[in-house]
Amino acid sequence: MVGERYYHWLRGEDVKLPETIHRSIGHQHVLEPELRTREGAWGVLKKLLVRAAARLRREGFFTRRLAVQVKFAQGPYWEQTAKVDETQDTLLLLKTLRSLWDECPPGKPFLTGVTCLDLVPEDRHQFSLFVPPKREGLGKAMDRINARYGKEAISVAGLQPYRKAAPTRIPFNRIPHPDEFV
């Protein structure tokens, strides 16, 4: 199938690409040397989660599971996941991330990452009885303010020291939306 596309592309023909199916939304970052501490890794993880939650809302998905990954400079790779009610709520995801982070073993972190899994399209989302509808609109309100006044004009507490950490880069598997760049 991919070979057929290349065959036609090499002959200058237009080829319709198959629709992309999102299975996860996440971000990873190799920590700068000064951030290779537990506190630095936590700050970068929070920033990555805020970015992933904004992508969930922009691309029209809710998540049912959150994963956190940490690779240590000397030592093992650690990953933990937790189930959540279908959500796009940054604050709820941060609370879940904190509970996962508390289980992280000691060591010098080298790489951190967060991934939102088990995605549900907005048109199939079922509202929770335990999350007030106004709470679900908070993230979208923050996104609108940031779109109007500049990225990170408003964010969650504690991210200011990490404002320049983990800048958006163009990864191998997708092209970021222009709103993701500072």
Side-chain angles (χ1 to χ4, degrees):
M1 187 155 185
V2 174
E4 283 182 43
R5 273 186 255 146
Y6 280 119
Y7 176 87
H8 293 289
W9 281 337
L10 289 170
R11 285 155 180 75
E13 300 173 22
D14 289 330
V15 177
K16 185 177 178 184
L17 295 174
E19 187 175 325
T20 302
I21 299 171
H22 286 282
R23 289 185 171 80
S24 65
I25 290 179
H27 295 282
Q28 288 185 338
H29 183 71
V30 175
L31 300 168
E32 292 82 10
E34 63 273 6
L35 295 175
R36 292 179 184 169
T37 63
R38 194 158 175 86
E39 297 79 26
W42 169 243
V44 171
L45 270 174
K46 285 195 309 185
K47 182 174 181 178
L48 295 175
L49 180 73
V50 168
R51 189 183 300 163
R55 274 186 61 205
L56 278 173
R57 291 186 293 272
R58 185 175 50 256
E59 295 181 20
F61 289 100
F62 286 76
T63 185
R64 290 188 279 195
R65 200 161 41 111
L66 180 68
V68 60
Q69 306 90 26
V70 178
K71 181 171 172 72
F72 295 97
Q74 288 89 25
Y77 178 82
W78 176 80
E79 182 174 18
Q80 195 74 358
T81 62
K83 289 185 178 186
V84 293
D85 289 334
E86 285 181 18
T87 189
Q88 298 174 323
D89 184 5
T90 303
L91 299 178
L92 177 64
L93 291 170
L94 279 170
K95 182 179 177 183
T96 305
L97 179 66
R98 183 71 220 189
S99 67
L100 291 171
W101 181 248
D102 289 341
E103 298 175 22
C104 183
K108 184 176 182 182
F110 176 76
L111 175 139
T112 58
V114 294
T115 309
C116 298
L117 303 159
D118 294 341
L119 301 183
V120 177
E122 277 183 328
D123 60 347
R124 292 192 4 223
H125 169 61
Q126 300 214 357
F127 289 96
S128 171
L129 296 173
F130 307 108
V131 178
K134 288 183 181 180
R135 173 75 181 258
E136 289 195 358
L138 179 62
K140 289 181 181 181
M142 289 173 63
D143 294 342
R144 284 193 303 272
I145 291 169
N146 286 332
R148 183 169 183 175
Y149 295 105
K151 187 177 176 185
E152 297 178 358
I154 184 172
S155 190
V156 297
L159 288 185
Q160 186 62 27
Y162 306 99
R163 190 175 191 136
K164 295 195 186 272
T168 300
R169 304 279 192 238
I170 298 175
F172 292 108
N173 59 351
R174 73 177 188 91
I175 298 173
H177 191 273
D179 291 344
E180 293 181 50
F181 292 95
V182 176

